[in-house]
Amino acid sequence: MNDETKRKIFDIFGKIFLLCHRMEYIADKELKKDNLTARQWLLIATIEKLFEYPPAINEVADKLSTSHQNVKQIANQLEKKGFIIIERDENDKRILRLKVTEKNRRYWDSRAEEHEKFILSLFNSLEEEEIHRKNKIKKVF
């Protein structure tokens, strides 16, 4: 691999990293009015979209590539806000399971249109052709 290719790879890596940071900042700013964070939203979305049952904390941590302690801390914050319930597993009391609440569902349902507009606004500078263009990015994970 030549030096120019290496430079481009490092440049792409840095830009992706900055993009991730910027996306979290933008989401935090949008959710702040409801006293939520992007990480809290991601935890809720993971529970709702990636599991058909109330997942254990360690299962969510695995999906988010983070620690059990980190998920537990965020889950505790969301439980205090009434968005999730942390319950002991019926069969194994050592396992803590995460369940979304009715308050959580009402919150996201009541703001669905607002959140859709927000997300679409992030991409309003792209032409429709650019959005539909097939890319050549290989799956990394």
Side-chain angles (χ1 to χ4, degrees):
M1 186 177 301
N2 67 38
D3 287 345
E4 177 65 14
T5 302
K6 287 179 185 177
R7 188 192 62 72
K8 286 184 178 188
I9 287 171
F10 284 108
D11 186 51
I12 292 168
F13 176 80
K15 286 178 179 176
I16 291 171
F17 194 80
L18 288 172
L19 177 63
C20 291
H21 181 69
R22 180 73 177 154
M23 292 295 287
E24 185 173 356
Y25 170 79
I26 291 168
D28 280 340
K29 190 174 175 183
E30 175 70 15
L31 294 167
K32 185 177 183 176
K33 62 186 166 212
D34 293 317
N35 197 29
L36 290 170
T37 68
R39 290 176 190 248
Q40 290 169 344
W41 164 80
L42 185 58
L43 184 86
I44 292 168
T46 300
I47 294 167
E48 289 190 310
K49 304 296 183 189
L50 299 181
F51 295 95
E52 294 181 15
Y53 57 89
I57 288 177
N58 64 330
E59 291 175 305
V60 175
D62 184 54
K63 292 289 185 193
L64 294 175
S65 300
T66 191
S67 68
H68 177 279
Q69 294 83 358
N70 190 39
V71 170
K72 180 78 165 42
Q73 180 182 30
I74 297 168
N76 283 334
Q77 295 165 353
L78 287 168
E79 187 175 47
K80 287 177 187 172
K81 295 175 185 184
F83 282 83
I84 67 169
I85 298 169
I86 303 171
E87 293 182 335
R88 296 229 174 252
D89 185 88
E90 292 178 10
N91 300 319
D92 186 343
K93 299 299 180 193
R94 298 171 296 173
I95 298 173
L96 296 174
R97 298 208 171 269
L98 306 176
K99 292 183 179 181
V100 295
T101 63
E102 187 57 35
K103 175 184 176 176
N104 176 71
R105 283 185 176 72
R106 284 191 315 268
Y107 168 80
W108 295 108
D109 288 347
S110 72
R111 287 164 176 77
E113 188 176 321
E114 178 185 344
H115 290 153
E116 180 180 300
K117 286 179 185 176
F118 165 71
I119 291 170
L120 292 175
S121 75
L122 297 174
F123 298 91
N124 64 6
S125 65
L126 295 175
E127 297 292 328
E128 204 162 321
E129 177 187 318
E130 292 174 302
I131 294 168
H132 291 285
R133 187 180 306 144
K134 294 191 185 259
N135 61 49
K136 296 179 181 180
I137 298 174
K138 293 179 184 177
K139 186 175 179 181
V140 177
F141 300 102

